[in-house]
Amino acid sequence: MIIVMKPGATQKQIEAVEKQLQELGFHTHPIYGEVKTVIGAIGDKRMVKANNIVHMDGVENIVPIMSPYKLVSRELINENTIIDIDGVSIGGNELAVMAGPCAVESEKQLMEVAIKVKEAGAKILRGGAYKPRTSPYSFQGLEEEGLKLLANVGKETGLKIVTEVVDTRDVELVSQYADILQIGARSMQNFRLLSECGKASKPVLLKRGLSATIEEWLMAAEYILSAGNPNVILCERGIRTFETATRNTLDINAIPVVKELSHLPIIVDPSHATGNWRWVEAVAKASIAAGADGLMIEVHPDPSSASSDGPQSLKPEKFSDLMMGLKPIAQAVNRVI
Amino acid sequence: MIIVMKPGATQKQIEAVEKQLQELGFHTHPIYGEVKTVIGAIGDKRMVKANNIVHMDGVENIVPIMSPYKLVSRELINENTIIDIDGVSIGGNELAVMAGPCAVESEKQLMEVAIKVKEAGAKILRGGAYKPRTSPYSFQGLEEEGLKLLANVGKETGLKIVTEVVDTRDVELVSQYADILQIGARSMQNFRLLSECGKASKPVLLKRGLSATIEEWLMAAEYILSAGNPNVILCERGIRTFETATRNTLDINAIPVVKELSHLPIIVDPSHATGNWRWVEAVAKASIAAGADGLMIEVHPDPSSASSDGPQSLKPEKFSDLMMGLKPIAQAVNRVI
Amino acid sequence: MIIVMKPGATQKQIEAVEKQLQELGFHTHPIYGEVKTVIGAIGDKRMVKANNIVHMDGVENIVPIMSPYKLVSRELINENTIIDIDGVSIGGNELAVMAGPCAVESEKQLMEVAIKVKEAGAKILRGGAYKPRTSPYSFQGLEEEGLKLLANVGKETGLKIVTEVVDTRDVELVSQYADILQIGARSMQNFRLLSECGKASKPVLLKRGLSATIEEWLMAAEYILSAGNPNVILCERGIRTFETATRNTLDINAIPVVKELSHLPIIVDPSHATGNWRWVEAVAKASIAAGADGLMIEVHPDPSSASSDGPQSLKPEKFSDLMMGLKPIAQAVNRVI
Amino acid sequence: MIIVMKPGATQKQIEAVEKQLQELGFHTHPIYGEVKTVIGAIGDKRMVKANNIVHMDGVENIVPIMSPYKLVSRELINENTIIDIDGVSIGGNELAVMAGPCAVESEKQLMEVAIKVKEAGAKILRGGAYKPRTSPYSFQGLEEEGLKLLANVGKETGLKIVTEVVDTRDVELVSQYADILQIGARSMQNFRLLSECGKASKPVLLKRGLSATIEEWLMAAEYILSAGNPNVILCERGIRTFETATRNTLDINAIPVVKELSHLPIIVDPSHATGNWRWVEAVAKASIAAGADGLMIEVHPDPSSASSDGPQSLKPEKFSDLMMGLKPIAQAVNRVI
């Protein structure tokens, strides 16, 4: 941590800051510049009270040096985390593709999609039983009934199941049915939910918040790891920007940045990132080319009658075409799909 | 709702869209332009499946005409909502000022602040017992112990209590101690928490999410009202933008916009909106001048030792000066403080 | 400047960076932390090549300590700059109000507005002769003819004239007619135009760019001052964010921040900041309460027939009401209007 | 264009709006909904004065239906524009790669890079002679001397030359030396510069502004086309968002969106989009996979001594590796490089 003093800060003020830092357990190293003095503070940056030093006389601001997360970073573990779910791996050489409807609507709908996405090469079935909807008047999901349908279809097809959990009270129940617990973008900073999922026995797919920085996203993952669950899959699904032509802006840069900072696997959700099925193929290809470990894609047998997110869902045939188109891209970056 | 057809859409495609809309219960009115045809669809826009019509051949996009919220809008209730808490009113002629520490740390700290902010004119005490922190290693709050301290200090000073609830499981407990339930910015789209607070007997202070549009914010309030609780106070606390000189960007425009769209009271939190106590006074004054119904301000007896948000907390004397400075501003806009 | 080395950077790498910094004229002070080493580099930060040090082995990133501007900062000049234009001052105790149509359309229109805004208390007339329009098919302004109309109306009414210059080739011409040269938001980083206006004899009103940070804005002002023109008026006109309910988001925080960082006067344009005349009054009041030195407001005798920006223009009567309403706000912050 | 009336708008207000629209040359079609009436206005949307109708009594807002650009859109020309520069084509099956230093520093530097990037497969040499710099104290370019060096190196190596023009006064001069005129991100809405380049005989590479929507970007291109120059290459170079881990956020979605809306070629600048050479390779690959027609990449023989943008420049060997890595990606999307 570096404390930057104001121009004209007095020697007395500088010493007072040093004294305070030392009481907080830091070693201090002042550097006297031509205009400003800066004080290097060596020690554990998680001692957050140090931030309050900006209130001391003569202090201009504080610059953190250490990243605030540990368990998720490559500083501690350099080797890529590979998550194995009964033979389906995420983060390894083979790309993980999760596909299925936004919301579970019926057994018929789910089974139809499941068979089609499996044929096309997906190994994990997505489907929402609990839906976080911006309107209280929209369909909120089949809840436990939806979980049961997912589990049944998973059993029959051999597909693994990923589904969202939106309430701390449901973590245990969802864990009984799902293979992967999904934490949605709007819940990325629901810290209680993060902690509960950190105590669960299933891997967690953590979507990036609409306006979360990469650092905040990794901090959210840190919550899960620090609660005891090392199996976190990051999922970039687009961030909110000024652009309105698309539902969100896919932050493709985040892929190499996260790969550099963290050992956790990262996948991309091109359906939410674009909001329009016509653009899903292009950005799905881009994501794999950029180094993503997999994709999560919305597929619906009849998008024009979907109860949620119809506009961004692919028809099964389009999904199948996409999977074919991804093969040479995967090969070009030494991955298989 | 207006369906915009692509240039060159065929008559057959137009008729297919009309038919689908009619099946969904809409009346349709096509308008044939020089290049594009648009179809007006009359009916209840909450029938969300209509969005999926973008999948139909020849459709370019869909333009909603009705706002998606009802109970919070002035379309239904034009008169301003005034919330009365045992004689302290929010949304009326008198401005409501909520002040206190970010986190409840001890009885001594809380009582000291409470007495000072009351002397300065605040009628509501803020203080966090449950703290949503970006780091799992930061102080997470005193929890129920903190709630008890708040209730005691409230009783002794006569101040009303506002405190945050972060988990659906705690709504009942917090309702026993607090006069107002606060839903924080990160929870604005925790729809389950909104619903639970909608069933609670206490008024709800709903902070705007970091990247929530005004429409999404009003939709979140709609969740609470539609669950049965009409007493919602909106709180603008700054949005996330590209600017890094301040912690957030206070969206001062939101005040007149919300006043036009909704009958609910709106207050401003200048502490989070700026992130720096030096700028709190200026934007607090601005907020009142713009028509806000009150303020929520962080005050700490010793900000440099605060366990959370020290940099943006005012010392009690500064808060007292601010309250004095607000009087003529309030008067200038025909309000009292 | 602080150079942060990667965890595990070798002593050899650290020494190589120090050597390079010394060759660039810096003194170096390494601080060895538990995980990372940082190197303090003392010297003139405008030696930009130092940024390339991130390419050296073992370097993680670089943290600047000094602000990149000098002439505009309070580090050099602490006293507020007051600009005097023939008895009309900007930045002093009296608030400066600039009002008039977006575009100069005719002598009749301009004279009508000028008389009305003068009666209401404005001392400076705004009006565009050169209009930067997003569409090549929109009205682009009366150009020199417009400048002449402005100058004539200015002479007859005694109002000072502010008008935009959009092209380096026009600076001299516009300087002959206008009292203040306006640089629009879209030109804020037209560095050639900044330099030309820096050589002009007239004060410059510098609007903040749509997506410019406060630091970039002050750097743009630095261009003008460093070219020899000390008379710069900053104008906050809203920034681009994700919010679409308003044309822009007025960054009200910027007022106290700029006042702290710079000695230059700052005014606010509530017309562009909101994009809707219905919200102009609220944010105009807020701006003055926050400490702005004045306002720039669009007024049109018949907004529904305006050739540009009709939706955000006030009718003269509304402007007059607004000026009345601003008086007690100004008084509350010890200013006069 | 659709005019949305307020709930409760009177028949008289509706008729007044219709009358005004008819006077402006529109045909009108009112649709009476349950709560609101909307009026369809058929005619040329470029008659911008219609926007002012929001000032009329009873009007809530206006929804445009037609895109504001024509010449750049696929509505008029559906076939992809392919630009041919003496045998080097942009927008066709072969990908166009532009590489070279941010700034031209010396003949030696430029020739060294030119030879290397040519060997690696680039056909166009980039290099700045006029540099728009955020600081007036930074290196501003070699100006005409730089243009001459570019032209010479171009002649000797057979590479085509692309270089930025920042001032209307320089368009003619730069046109004499360069094969492609570059308009930088900060100049995207310098409408005078757009018009001047629209009159030039050379193709124009138009970078997207930092905070420009796709629509504004296409409108800027429309300026150039409407002035007579059909040869515009769009260049996505990252937009400004809240994320600070990277210099900008590459809007990868923009590639399929632009391809759908416009017939113009689009390339990507991964150097500016990331701001860090370590992430250039990943997003360069992603851009080609998403359907971009080419790349513009900064390459410098010794990035740590570059006079501008060193941190994001690749060394020639890295660029050569990147070009090798792009081959299978290009092939996977049926392109050649």
Side-chain angles (χ1 to χ4, degrees):
Chain A
M1 194 172 54
I2 303 285
I3 286 81
V4 183
M5 302 298 292
K6 287 181 187 164
T10 64
Q11 184 59 26
K12 217 170 151 179
Q13 289 170 338
I14 293 165
E15 282 165 12
V17 171
E18 285 197 83
K19 190 156 165 279
Q20 177 77 9
L21 286 166
Q22 286 157 6
E23 279 170 13
L24 288 165
F26 290 94
H27 292 275
T28 60
H29 293 254
I31 303 176
Y32 297 90
E34 286 160 16
V35 180
K36 295 180 183 179
T37 295
V38 303
I39 303 171
I42 297 175
D44 189 334
K45 90 139 263 173
R46 293 178 297 172
M47 302 174 75
V48 286
K49 286 195 184 180
N51 275 328
N52 298 331
I53 281 175
V54 293
H55 266 280
M56 294 185 71
D57 290 336
V59 173
E60 190 172 278
N61 73 319
I62 292 182
V63 180
I65 297 299
M66 293 294 292
S67 62
Y69 42 81
K70 291 207 157 174
L71 305 174
V72 305
S73 90
R74 288 207 186 268
E75 287 174 26
L76 220 67
I77 302 171
N78 196 28
E79 208 178 340
N80 286 346
T81 289
I82 300 177
I83 296 169
D84 178 82
I85 305 164
D86 252 344
V88 175
S89 76
I90 302 167
N93 195 51
E94 193 175 347
L95 298 173
V97 180
M98 311 178 183
C102 181
V104 176
E105 293 163 22
S106 70
E107 185 158 16
K108 188 177 164 298
Q109 168 236 27
L110 195 62
M111 185 58 87
E112 189 181 339
V113 174
I115 291 168
K116 295 260 178 74
V117 302
K118 192 186 174 186
E119 279 173 11
K123 296 204 172 151
I124 302 167
L125 179 66
R126 62 149 293 153
Y130 300 93
K131 298 302 309 167
R133 300 301 295 270
T134 48
S135 167
Y137 310 117
S138 296
F139 175 62
Q140 309 275 322
L142 295 180
E143 310 201 339
E144 190 171 356
E145 180 58 27
L147 294 176
K148 286 178 186 166
L149 293 179
L150 282 164
N152 286 343
V153 171
K155 235 171 272 170
E156 287 194 42
T157 57
L159 290 166
K160 304 301 162 201
I161 298 298
V162 57
T163 196
E164 183 167 354
V165 55
V166 298
D167 192 320
T168 50
R169 295 172 300 192
D170 303 332
V171 174
E172 212 179 297
L173 185 72
V174 178
S175 296
Q176 289 167 24
Y177 294 101
D179 297 299
I180 304 174
L181 305 175
Q182 177 179 327
I183 296 179
R186 288 177 183 77
S187 305
M188 194 204 85
Q189 290 195 320
N190 182 338
F191 301 113
R192 292 297 193 89
L193 186 62
L194 296 172
S195 294
E196 287 298 326
C197 290
K199 290 179 220 146
S201 56
K202 299 291 174 72
V204 178
L205 184 135
L206 178 67
K207 287 200 160 186
R208 182 178 181 181
L210 275 75
S211 65
T213 61
I214 291 172
E215 185 173 295
E216 289 168 337
W217 188 19
L218 292 177
M219 281 307 285
E222 184 89 1
Y223 257 90
I224 302 170
L225 270 73
S226 70
N229 189 341
N231 294 315
V232 173
I233 305 146
L234 299 166
C235 180
E236 162 68 35
R237 44 77 72 204
I239 56 172
R240 180 159 279 182
T241 70
F242 61 82
E243 179 59 71
T244 54
T246 49
R247 181 172 176 182
N248 293 291
T249 297
L250 173 58
D251 182 5
I252 194 90
N253 291 351
I255 300 172
V257 173
V258 164
K259 280 286 172 202
E260 182 175 310
L261 296 173
S262 176
H263 52 84
L264 296 173
I266 176 170
I267 69 166
V268 172
D269 173 349
S271 306
H272 283 87
T274 58
N276 191 314
W277 67 270
R278 297 198 303 269
W279 308 322
V280 165
E281 184 182 343
V283 304
K285 287 178 176 173
S287 301
I288 298 307
D293 296 304
L295 295 166
M296 173 174 251
I297 295 177
E298 290 190 355
V299 179
H300 195 281
D302 178 14
S304 65
S305 77
S307 62
S308 173
D309 278 350
Q312 70 196 31
S313 296
L314 290 182
K315 292 183 189 171
E317 315 83 78
K318 293 272 176 199
F319 175 70
S320 185
D321 291 352
L322 169 58
M323 289 294 281
M324 290 299 294
L326 287 171
K327 277 185 202 303
I329 305 275
Q331 207 175 1
V333 292
N334 300 313
R335 304 290 283 264
V336 292
I337 191 166
Chain B
M1 192 171 60
I2 303 284
I3 287 81
V4 183
M5 303 297 292
K6 287 182 188 164
T10 64
Q11 185 59 27
K12 216 169 152 182
Q13 289 169 338
I14 293 165
E15 282 165 13
V17 171
E18 285 197 84
K19 187 155 169 279
Q20 176 79 8
L21 286 166
Q22 287 157 7
E23 278 169 14
L24 289 165
F26 291 93
H27 292 275
T28 60
H29 292 253
I31 302 175
Y32 297 90
E34 288 160 16
V35 180
K36 295 180 184 180
T37 295
V38 302
I39 303 171
I42 298 176
D44 190 333
K45 89 139 261 169
R46 293 177 296 172
M47 301 174 77
V48 287
K49 284 193 185 181
N51 275 327
N52 298 330
I53 282 175
V54 294
H55 266 280
M56 294 184 72
D57 288 337
V59 174
E60 188 171 279
N61 72 318
I62 292 183
V63 180
I65 298 299
M66 295 292 294
S67 62
Y69 42 81
K70 291 207 156 173
L71 306 174
V72 305
S73 91
R74 286 204 187 270
E75 286 173 27
L76 220 70
I77 302 171
N78 196 27
E79 207 178 342
N80 286 345
T81 289
I82 301 178
I83 296 168
D84 178 80
I85 304 165
D86 250 347
V88 174
S89 76
I90 302 167
N93 195 51
E94 191 175 348
L95 299 172
V97 179
M98 311 178 183
C102 181
V104 176
E105 292 163 20
S106 69
E107 186 158 18
K108 188 175 164 299
Q109 169 236 28
L110 195 63
M111 185 58 89
E112 188 181 340
V113 173
I115 291 169
K116 296 259 175 76
V117 301
K118 193 187 174 184
E119 280 173 10
K123 295 204 173 151
I124 301 167
L125 179 66
R126 63 148 291 155
Y130 300 92
K131 299 301 308 165
R133 302 300 296 272
T134 47
S135 167
Y137 310 116
S138 297
F139 175 61
Q140 309 275 324
L142 295 180
E143 310 202 340
E144 190 170 358
E145 180 58 27
L147 292 175
K148 286 179 184 166
L149 293 179
L150 282 164
N152 286 344
V153 170
K155 234 171 272 171
E156 288 194 42
T157 57
L159 291 166
K160 304 300 163 203
I161 298 298
V162 57
T163 197
E164 183 167 354
V165 54
V166 298
D167 193 321
T168 49
R169 296 172 298 192
D170 302 331
V171 174
E172 211 180 298
L173 184 74
V174 177
S175 295
Q176 290 169 25
Y177 293 101
D179 298 297
I180 305 173
L181 303 176
Q182 177 180 322
I183 295 179
R186 286 178 184 76
S187 305
M188 194 204 85
Q189 290 195 321
N190 182 337
F191 301 113
R192 293 295 193 90
L193 186 62
L194 296 172
S195 295
E196 287 298 324
C197 289
K199 291 178 219 149
S201 57
K202 299 294 175 70
V204 178
L205 184 136
L206 179 65
K207 289 201 160 187
R208 180 178 183 182
L210 275 75
S211 65
T213 62
I214 291 172
E215 185 173 294
E216 290 169 336
W217 189 18
L218 293 176
M219 281 306 286
E222 184 89 2
Y223 257 91
I224 301 170
L225 269 74
S226 71
N229 189 342
N231 295 315
V232 172
I233 304 145
L234 299 167
C235 179
E236 162 67 35
R237 45 74 74 201
I239 57 173
R240 179 159 281 181
T241 69
F242 62 81
E243 179 59 72
T244 54
T246 49
R247 182 171 173 182
N248 292 293
T249 297
L250 174 57
D251 182 5
I252 195 90
N253 291 353
I255 300 173
V257 173
V258 164
K259 281 285 171 202
E260 182 175 309
L261 296 173
S262 177
H263 52 84
L264 296 174
I266 177 171
I267 69 166
V268 172
D269 172 349
S271 306
H272 283 87
T274 58
N276 190 315
W277 66 271
R278 298 197 304 268
W279 308 322
V280 165
E281 184 182 342
V283 304
K285 287 178 175 173
S287 301
I288 297 307
D293 295 304
L295 295 166
M296 173 174 251
I297 295 177
E298 290 190 353
V299 179
H300 195 283
D302 178 14
S304 66
S305 77
S307 63
S308 174
D309 277 350
Q312 70 196 31
S313 298
L314 289 182
K315 292 181 189 174
E317 315 85 75
K318 292 273 176 200
F319 174 69
S320 184
D321 293 351
L322 169 58
M323 289 295 281
M324 290 298 296
L326 287 171
K327 275 185 202 302
I329 304 275
Q331 209 175 359
V333 291
N334 300 313
R335 303 292 282 264
V336 291
I337 191 166
Chain C
M1 194 171 56
I2 303 285
I3 286 82
V4 183
M5 302 298 291
K6 287 182 186 163
T10 63
Q11 184 58 28
K12 216 170 151 181
Q13 289 170 338
I14 293 165
E15 280 165 13
V17 171
E18 284 198 84
K19 187 155 167 280
Q20 177 77 9
L21 286 165
Q22 286 157 7
E23 278 170 14
L24 289 165
F26 291 94
H27 292 275
T28 60
H29 292 254
I31 304 176
Y32 297 90
E34 288 160 14
V35 180
K36 295 179 183 179
T37 296
V38 303
I39 303 170
I42 298 176
D44 190 334
K45 90 139 265 176
R46 293 178 297 171
M47 302 174 76
V48 286
K49 284 196 187 180
N51 275 328
N52 299 332
I53 281 175
V54 293
H55 265 281
M56 295 184 72
D57 289 337
V59 174
E60 189 171 279
N61 73 318
I62 292 182
V63 180
I65 297 299
M66 294 294 293
S67 61
Y69 43 81
K70 292 207 158 173
L71 305 174
V72 306
S73 90
R74 286 205 187 270
E75 286 172 30
L76 219 71
I77 302 171
N78 196 29
E79 210 179 339
N80 286 345
T81 289
I82 300 176
I83 296 168
D84 179 81
I85 304 164
D86 251 344
V88 174
S89 76
I90 301 167
N93 195 50
E94 193 176 347
L95 298 173
V97 179
M98 312 177 182
C102 181
V104 176
E105 293 163 21
S106 70
E107 184 157 20
K108 187 176 163 300
Q109 168 237 29
L110 195 63
M111 185 58 89
E112 188 181 340
V113 173
I115 291 169
K116 295 259 176 76
V117 301
K118 192 186 175 185
E119 279 172 12
K123 296 203 170 150
I124 301 166
L125 178 67
R126 63 148 289 152
Y130 300 93
K131 299 301 308 167
R133 301 300 296 271
T134 47
S135 167
Y137 309 117
S138 297
F139 175 63
Q140 310 275 325
L142 295 180
E143 309 201 339
E144 190 169 357
E145 180 57 25
L147 293 177
K148 285 178 184 164
L149 292 178
L150 281 165
N152 286 345
V153 171
K155 234 173 271 172
E156 287 194 42
T157 57
L159 290 166
K160 303 302 163 204
I161 298 298
V162 56
T163 197
E164 184 166 354
V165 55
V166 298
D167 192 321
T168 49
R169 295 172 298 192
D170 302 331
V171 174
E172 212 180 298
L173 184 73
V174 178
S175 296
Q176 289 167 26
Y177 293 101
D179 298 297
I180 305 174
L181 305 175
Q182 178 180 324
I183 296 179
R186 286 177 184 77
S187 305
M188 194 203 86
Q189 290 195 321
N190 182 338
F191 301 113
R192 292 297 192 89
L193 186 61
L194 295 173
S195 295
E196 286 299 325
C197 290
K199 290 178 221 148
S201 57
K202 298 294 174 71
V204 178
L205 183 133
L206 178 66
K207 288 203 160 186
R208 182 179 181 181
L210 274 76
S211 65
T213 62
I214 292 172
E215 185 172 295
E216 289 169 337
W217 189 17
L218 292 176
M219 280 308 285
E222 184 89 2
Y223 257 91
I224 302 169
L225 270 75
S226 71
N229 189 341
N231 295 317
V232 173
I233 304 146
L234 300 166
C235 180
E236 162 68 35
R237 45 76 73 204
I239 57 173
R240 178 159 280 183
T241 70
F242 62 81
E243 179 59 71
T244 54
T246 49
R247 182 170 173 182
N248 293 292
T249 298
L250 174 58
D251 182 6
I252 194 89
N253 291 352
I255 301 172
V257 173
V258 164
K259 281 286 172 201
E260 183 175 309
L261 297 173
S262 177
H263 52 84
L264 296 174
I266 176 171
I267 71 167
V268 172
D269 172 348
S271 306
H272 283 87
T274 59
N276 190 315
W277 65 270
R278 298 198 303 271
W279 307 321
V280 165
E281 182 181 344
V283 304
K285 287 178 175 175
S287 301
I288 298 307
D293 296 304
L295 295 165
M296 171 173 254
I297 295 177
E298 289 190 354
V299 179
H300 195 282
D302 178 14
S304 65
S305 76
S307 63
S308 173
D309 278 349
Q312 70 195 33
S313 297
L314 290 182
K315 292 182 189 173
E317 315 85 75
K318 293 272 176 198
F319 175 69
S320 186
D321 293 351
L322 169 59
M323 290 295 281
M324 290 299 294
L326 286 171
K327 277 186 201 303
I329 303 275
Q331 207 174 1
V333 292
N334 300 312
R335 304 290 283 263
V336 292
I337 191 167
Chain D
M1 192 171 54
I2 304 284
I3 287 82
V4 183
M5 302 298 292
K6 287 181 187 164
T10 65
Q11 184 58 28
K12 218 170 148 178
Q13 289 170 338
I14 293 165
E15 282 165 12
V17 171
E18 284 197 84
K19 188 155 168 280
Q20 176 77 11
L21 286 166
Q22 286 157 7
E23 279 170 14
L24 289 165
F26 290 94
H27 292 276
T28 60
H29 292 254
I31 303 176
Y32 296 90
E34 289 160 12
V35 179
K36 295 180 182 177
T37 295
V38 303
I39 303 170
I42 297 177
D44 190 334
K45 88 141 268 173
R46 291 177 298 171
M47 302 175 75
V48 286
K49 284 193 185 182
N51 275 327
N52 298 332
I53 281 176
V54 293
H55 266 280
M56 293 186 73
D57 289 336
V59 173
E60 191 172 277
N61 72 319
I62 292 181
V63 180
I65 297 298
M66 294 293 293
S67 61
Y69 42 81
K70 292 207 157 173
L71 305 175
V72 305
S73 91
R74 287 206 186 269
E75 287 173 28
L76 221 69
I77 302 172
N78 196 27
E79 208 179 341
N80 286 346
T81 289
I82 301 176
I83 296 167
D84 178 82
I85 305 163
D86 249 346
V88 174
S89 76
I90 302 167
N93 195 51
E94 192 176 349
L95 299 173
V97 179
M98 311 179 183
C102 180
V104 176
E105 294 163 20
S106 70
E107 185 158 18
K108 186 174 165 301
Q109 168 236 28
L110 194 62
M111 186 57 89
E112 187 180 341
V113 173
I115 291 169
K116 295 258 176 79
V117 300
K118 191 185 175 188
E119 280 172 9
K123 296 205 172 151
I124 302 167
L125 178 67
R126 61 148 292 155
Y130 299 93
K131 299 302 307 167
R133 302 301 295 270
T134 48
S135 166
Y137 310 117
S138 297
F139 175 62
Q140 310 275 324
L142 295 180
E143 309 200 341
E144 191 170 355
E145 179 58 25
L147 293 176
K148 286 180 185 164
L149 294 179
L150 281 165
N152 286 345
V153 170
K155 233 170 276 171
E156 288 195 43
T157 58
L159 291 165
K160 303 301 162 202
I161 298 298
V162 56
T163 196
E164 184 166 353
V165 55
V166 297
D167 193 321
T168 49
R169 296 173 296 193
D170 302 332
V171 174
E172 211 180 299
L173 184 72
V174 177
S175 296
Q176 290 167 24
Y177 293 102
D179 298 296
I180 305 174
L181 303 176
Q182 178 180 324
I183 296 179
R186 289 176 182 77
S187 305
M188 193 206 84
Q189 289 195 319
N190 182 338
F191 301 112
R192 293 298 193 89
L193 186 62
L194 295 173
S195 295
E196 287 298 327
C197 290
K199 291 178 220 149
S201 57
K202 298 293 173 73
V204 178
L205 183 135
L206 179 66
K207 288 201 161 188
R208 181 177 182 183
L210 274 76
S211 65
T213 61
I214 291 171
E215 185 173 296
E216 289 169 336
W217 188 19
L218 292 176
M219 281 305 286
E222 184 88 1
Y223 258 92
I224 301 169
L225 269 73
S226 71
N229 188 342
N231 295 315
V232 173
I233 304 145
L234 299 166
C235 179
E236 161 69 34
R237 44 76 73 204
I239 57 174
R240 180 159 280 184
T241 70
F242 61 82
E243 178 59 71
T244 54
T246 49
R247 182 170 174 183
N248 293 292
T249 297
L250 173 58
D251 183 5
I252 194 90
N253 291 351
I255 300 171
V257 174
V258 164
K259 280 285 170 203
E260 183 174 310
L261 297 173
S262 177
H263 52 84
L264 296 173
I266 176 170
I267 70 166
V268 172
D269 172 350
S271 305
H272 283 86
T274 58
N276 190 315
W277 66 270
R278 297 198 302 268
W279 307 322
V280 165
E281 182 182 343
V283 304
K285 287 179 175 174
S287 301
I288 296 309
D293 296 304
L295 296 165
M296 173 174 252
I297 296 176
E298 290 188 356
V299 179
H300 195 282
D302 178 16
S304 64
S305 77
S307 63
S308 174
D309 279 349
Q312 70 196 30
S313 297
L314 290 182
K315 292 181 190 174
E317 314 85 77
K318 294 272 177 198
F319 174 70
S320 184
D321 291 351
L322 169 58
M323 290 293 281
M324 289 299 294
L326 287 171
K327 276 185 203 300
I329 304 275
Q331 206 175 2
V333 291
N334 301 313
R335 305 289 284 262
V336 291
I337 189 164

